[in-house]
């Protein structure tokens, strides 16, 4: 399966080892040169990091918590079930409580040399409306009037990958709508079942709940919040890399 991995090179606010964290100087202002400079630097030698361009009391950009999160945000591409690009650029935001809970899940996986790959995170309400305009079917898309947990920054679509970017076998691709995508499907191989069980049990340990019909979707139940239409800026991410 061709996998497009999107990495950001600015995520150094969290250090997983006991070694002292790398020196990070916070840039006072965003400028094109600093973005290009970061692009050319390998991980852990970054001298400048761009300041957040969003309300950090309301949102956490996941990649700032741990640079090992892999972003494969399908709605920033045409590789999704509606075949249209709905995000101008790939950035993953969540409610801060949900983000910190997901970091705990990530830390469990990292101990096994695995990592979380995200397919979707917070989804602006306007994008929910756009999805509904293309696919006005409540079996596939939550009606905008109701609002999805994604519109609240409280849902993630994800899978488990190796640190090299290979996804674990989960039986179906992301956004496969049918019985094989359900948690209750009984005829998976032992490997697929074990991988799904690993994802589900680890997510549930930290406050996430699955839904019956989508193995990749989890809701964070720790907090309540309203739907949002915050749309992120582009040009703030610093690096994208692609591999098969
Ligand atoms: Zn979802």
């Amino acid at each position: 399966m061709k996998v497009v991995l999107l990495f950001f090179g600015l995520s150094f606010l969290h250090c997983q080892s006991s070694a002292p964290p790398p020196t990070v100087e916070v840039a006072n202002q965003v400028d094109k040169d600093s973005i290009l400079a970061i692009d050319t630097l390998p991980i852990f030698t970054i001298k400048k990091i761009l300041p957040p361009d969003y309300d950090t009391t309301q949102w956490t950009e996941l990649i700032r918590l741990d640079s090992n999160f892999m972003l494969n945000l399908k709605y920033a591409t045409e590789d999704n079930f509606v075949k249209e690009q709905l995000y101008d650029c790939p950035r993953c935001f969540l409610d801060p409580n949900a983000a910190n809970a997901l970091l705990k899940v990530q830390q469990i996986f990292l101990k096994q040399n695995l990592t979380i790959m995200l397919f979707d995170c917070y989804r602006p309400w306007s994008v929910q409306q756009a999805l509904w305009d293309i696919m006005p079917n409540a079996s596939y898309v939550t009606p905008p009037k109701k609002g999805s947990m994604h519109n609240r920054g409280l849902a993630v679509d994800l899978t488990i990958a190796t640190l090299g970017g290979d996804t674990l076998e989960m039986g179906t691709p992301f956004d496969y709508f049918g019985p094989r995508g359900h948690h209750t499907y009984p005829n998976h191989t032992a490997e697929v079942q074990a991988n799904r069980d690993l994802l589900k049990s680890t997510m549930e340990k930290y406050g996430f709940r699955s839904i019956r019909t989508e193995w990749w979707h989890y809701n964070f139940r720790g907090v309540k919040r309203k739907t949002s239409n915050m749309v992120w800026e582009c040009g703030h991410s610093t690096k994208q890399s692609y591999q098969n």
Side-chain angles (χ1 to χ4, degrees):
M1 180 199 305
K2 184 182 179 191
V3 175
V4 180
L5 301 181
L6 304 167
F7 296 94
F8 291 5
L10 51 71
S11 47
F12 288 86
L13 301 184
H14 175 74
C15 183
Q16 298 154 44
S17 72
S18 57
T23 302
V24 172
E25 295 172 13
V26 176
N28 290 325
Q29 61 184 47
V30 176
D31 60 71
K32 198 179 170 197
D33 287 341
S34 70
I35 293 173
L36 293 176
I38 289 173
D39 262 350
T40 63
L41 293 170
I43 282 173
F44 289 110
T45 61
I46 288 178
K47 299 297 183 193
K48 270 187 176 181
I49 187 164
L50 300 177
D53 60 345
Y54 52 89
D55 181 353
T56 55
T57 67
Q58 293 296 311
W59 301 102
T60 295
E61 187 166 24
L62 201 61
I63 204 74
R64 287 177 177 262
L65 295 183
D66 177 7
S67 60
N68 293 296
F69 280 114
M70 291 184 178
L71 303 188
N72 185 7
L73 302 184
K74 293 296 190 184
Y75 298 121
T77 76
E78 294 179 354
D79 180 23
N80 59 59
F81 78 106
V82 296
K83 307 294 180 198
E84 290 191 25
Q85 180 179 344
L86 297 170
Y87 299 158
D88 289 339
C89 57
R91 295 180 71 180
C92 174
F93 293 92
L94 289 176
D95 167 84
N97 301 285
N100 282 307
L102 197 62
L103 177 61
K104 290 177 180 164
V105 175
Q106 169 75 336
Q107 287 167 339
I108 298 291
F109 289 147
L110 286 173
K111 286 179 185 164
Q112 303 169 61
N113 290 320
L114 298 170
T115 186
I116 288 173
M117 178 186 286
L118 283 308
F119 298 124
D120 198 22
C121 305
Y122 159 68
R123 181 189 304 155
W125 187 87
S126 57
V127 171
Q128 193 70 26
Q129 181 67 53
L131 266 175
W132 181 255
D133 290 344
I134 299 165
M135 185 73 73
N137 182 335
S139 298
Y140 301 101
V141 178
T142 304
K145 274 187 182 170
K146 182 181 175 193
S148 160
M149 289 289 273
H150 283 288
N151 305 144
R152 295 169 165 82
L154 295 175
V156 281
D157 297 331
L158 76 178
T159 192
I160 307 171
T162 67
L163 294 176
D166 293 323
T167 52
L168 301 199
E169 186 54 62
M170 292 291 183
T172 79
F174 166 61
D175 271 357
Y176 175 93
F177 299 109
R180 284 198 298 129
H182 298 183
H183 282 285
T184 48
Y185 183 74
N187 297 321
H188 291 303
T189 65
E191 180 190 3
V192 166
Q193 195 60 55
N195 292 339
R196 285 197 186 187
D197 289 348
L198 174 63
L199 180 59
K200 187 164 182 278
S201 63
T202 315
M203 293 294 282
E204 288 179 344
K205 200 171 171 183
Y206 293 102
F208 291 91
R209 294 291 173 266
S210 63
I211 61 172
R212 187 181 63 85
T213 53
E214 300 179 1
W215 64 259
W216 55 85
H217 177 104
Y218 285 85
N219 293 322
F220 183 67
R221 290 298 187 184
V223 291
K224 291 189 187 308
R225 58 188 276 171
K226 294 178 179 172
T227 60
S228 171
N229 201 27
M230 185 276 281
V231 178
W232 54 83
E233 298 290 326
C234 294
H236 202 72
S237 58
T238 57
K239 182 180 177 184
Q240 296 187 9
S241 64
Y242 300 83
Q243 65 185 67
N244 292 316

